[in-house]
Amino acid sequence: MQKFFRLFWVLILLLSLGWAIGGSLVASGNVNVDDGGVSEQLLEDIVIFADGLNMPPEIQPWMLFLITGVPLALLALFFAWRNHQALAMHAKAKGHERRDRQVTLAITLLSLVCAGLLWHASGIEAQYAEAPLEDGSNGLTVITYPVRLFVTFVHEAGHALAALLTGGEVRSFTVSPNGSGLAVTAGGSESLILPAGYLGAALFGSLLFLLSSRAPSLTRALSLLLGIGIIALTVLFARPDASGNLTALLVGLGYGGGLVLLGWLAPQGIAVFLLNTLAILVGLNAVFDLTYLVANPGIGSANVLNDATAFSQRVAPLLPPSVVALLWAGIAVMMMGAAMYFGLLKPMRSEFADGS
């Protein structure tokens, strides 16, 4: 549309200049009628028209063309320049926008590499909330251990939120130092509450990665809201575990406060990098947990069934726990795959297509 208006005003400018210059020359008699091909009748018509306007005698007929044509030409020149400037600013904005997209893609790729290195640095299988190692250790590195605890926090918070959304009640949820956790709910829909732990963690990681990758300008606000939400869940429902450990409270307040500070103080690039890294680690843990559960459907404790077994017994008795876990794993993989495609692969393809 801006290009159309620029062309329109350029045409008006040319017509105005033609009117002012050509008309004034004809009316002043400076154009040779015989050589120029201008009829005497046209000159007479101009004089009659000027006389009909009752102009002061000092205003000659040729001046009328300058008086009417020059202001219109200046006006057209101004608007043509304005449209040209608007087109230039639009092109510049598109250049900045593309550069910002490229920077975001580079940060996203860096966070993916970083998360992969951290994931492999542990050198062990990620542990379940329901199945810590036999020696009681968590086996994780100093970096991935806090992430493991946060995944358990998200897992149990997923159960709690599902209970609330389906009309149930949340009495408490806990996280233990060995990575195990427990959510105590009453009422609500078990068919949604039971899968909300594993699938909730996968959904959390997928959405966080997608939003921070595709909407980097909103990353700091997202970090603030997420931190406030985690702190609220912690204060309302997180409690010490059976041994009196305050792990759930420490994890919730620590991560919630960290996310608030990240959104409040950190530059956008740092926020995108850290949120993407956290999202990938949480999503990978959730997917790995489910694949481990497929191979070990009977894991659990003496008093608490794992989620897949509980779902099989209470909701879908025709489905063995291993099949339930396999279905959940497939859904988790699809969520993470969709987040990777729409958050990273599709934007990369668009950038390569634009650059070719």
Side-chain angles (χ1 to χ4, degrees):
M1 186 61 70
Q2 292 290 350
K3 291 182 178 180
F4 169 79
F5 280 115
R6 183 177 64 177
L7 178 60
F8 171 78
W9 287 114
V10 168
L11 291 174
I12 296 297
L13 172 63
L14 294 176
L15 291 173
S16 302
L17 290 175
W19 169 269
I21 296 173
S24 61
L25 289 174
V26 171
S28 64
N30 291 325
V31 174
N32 191 304
V33 175
D34 295 332
D35 294 339
V38 179
S39 67
E40 294 181 359
Q41 184 63 44
L42 177 60
L43 182 58
E44 293 176 1
D45 290 341
I46 293 173
V47 173
I48 294 172
F49 174 74
D51 292 339
L53 294 176
N54 296 320
M55 301 296 293
E58 59 270 16
I59 303 296
Q60 300 298 316
W62 64 269
M63 294 181 181
L64 292 176
F65 290 93
L66 293 179
I67 292 172
T68 56
V70 171
L72 183 59
L74 292 175
L75 185 66
L77 178 63
F78 171 75
F79 282 110
W81 174 79
R82 285 290 301 270
N83 284 104
H84 178 76
Q85 289 293 102
L87 287 170
M89 291 180 62
H90 180 67
K92 186 177 180 180
K94 287 186 67 176
H96 284 304
E97 182 182 349
R98 185 177 183 188
R99 186 183 64 184
D100 292 342
R101 289 200 310 266
Q102 292 173 345
V103 170
T104 301
L105 283 174
I107 293 174
T108 302
L109 282 171
L110 181 62
S111 63
L112 183 62
V113 172
C114 182
L117 292 175
L118 292 175
W119 175 262
H120 291 292
S122 62
I124 61 138
E125 293 179 341
Q127 303 305 307
Y128 285 102
E130 292 92 344
L133 293 176
E134 293 180 359
D135 61 4
S137 65
N138 53 67
L140 298 170
T141 67
V142 67
I143 297 177
T144 53
Y145 175 60
V147 176
R148 175 68 259 176
L149 294 180
F150 182 64
V151 173
T152 303
F153 181 96
V154 174
H155 179 112
E156 305 306 334
H159 288 310
L161 288 174
L164 291 175
L165 292 174
T166 57
E169 175 188 353
V170 181
R171 293 176 180 172
S172 68
F173 66 81
T174 63
V175 178
S176 297
N178 64 2
S180 63
L182 179 66
V184 180
T185 65
S189 172
E190 285 194 322
S191 60
L192 295 177
I193 295 172
L194 289 171
Y198 291 115
L199 294 184
L203 180 63
F204 175 89
S206 301
L207 287 179
L208 183 58
F209 180 82
L210 182 62
L211 292 174
S212 57
S213 299
R214 296 305 300 269
S217 61
L218 301 178
T219 303
R220 295 180 62 189
L222 174 64
S223 183
L224 278 169
L225 292 175
L226 188 59
I228 293 171
I230 289 174
I231 291 173
L233 281 174
T234 303
V235 173
L236 291 173
F237 304 119
R239 298 293 181 266
D241 65 2
S243 300
N245 294 302
L246 302 176
T247 309
L249 292 165
L250 294 175
V251 170
L253 295 178
Y255 272 91
L259 288 169
V260 169
L261 290 176
L262 181 67
W264 184 19
L265 301 175
Q268 178 179 301
I270 299 297
V272 172
F273 172 75
L274 291 179
L275 287 185
N276 274 339
T277 303
L278 179 64
I280 295 167
L281 288 173
V282 171
L284 284 176
N285 272 278
V287 171
F288 192 91
D289 286 352
L290 280 166
T291 57
Y292 188 85
L293 188 60
V294 172
N296 302 273
I299 60 173
S301 65
N303 298 320
V304 180
L305 300 173
N306 71 68
D307 293 340
T309 301
F311 188 90
S312 175
Q313 292 183 2
R314 302 173 190 171
V315 178
L318 297 179
L319 296 177
S322 59
V323 175
V324 173
L326 182 62
L327 290 173
W328 291 355
I331 295 173
V333 168
M334 285 192 292
M335 286 192 292
M336 284 300 296
M340 290 292 175
Y341 175 76
F342 289 105
L344 181 61
L345 297 179
K346 187 176 180 180
M348 286 182 64
R349 288 176 59 186
S350 299
E351 286 301 315
F352 285 133
D354 292 341
S356 61

